Amino acid sequence: MPHYIVLAVLSILAVLATILAWFAILFTGSYPRGLFDFVVGVGRWAARVWAYAFLLVTDTYPPFSLR
């Protein structure tokens, strides 16, 4: 349950980071590395939680980490 709460907040922040990155790409022509790492980390964490909770493909409890 704690993963869902944290992921809900991080998902909202990832959407905002994606919008901010869109403007950064629009004006600078490149995706800022920090925003990219954050969005990919949130997606990776969400995939680990889904694999553990719903897909039942792993017995390892997912860590609280974006890495």
Side-chain angles (χ1 to χ4, degrees):
M1 195 61 141
H3 282 286
Y4 299 128
I5 296 167
V6 174
L7 271 175
V9 172
L10 286 178
S11 296
I12 292 168
L13 292 175
V15 168
L16 294 175
T18 303
I19 294 169
L20 184 65
W22 182 81
F23 282 109
I25 293 169
L26 184 66
F27 293 119
T28 66
S30 65
Y31 201 129
R33 188 66 184 177
L35 291 176
F36 176 80
D37 290 339
F38 176 72
V39 172
V40 169
V42 171
R44 190 178 298 140
W45 189 6
R48 282 193 307 254
V49 170
W50 271 90
Y52 176 78
F54 297 111
L55 302 177
L56 303 173
V57 294
T58 180
D59 290 333
T60 307
Y61 192 74
F64 280 97
S65 172
L66 293 178
R67 293 184 183 184

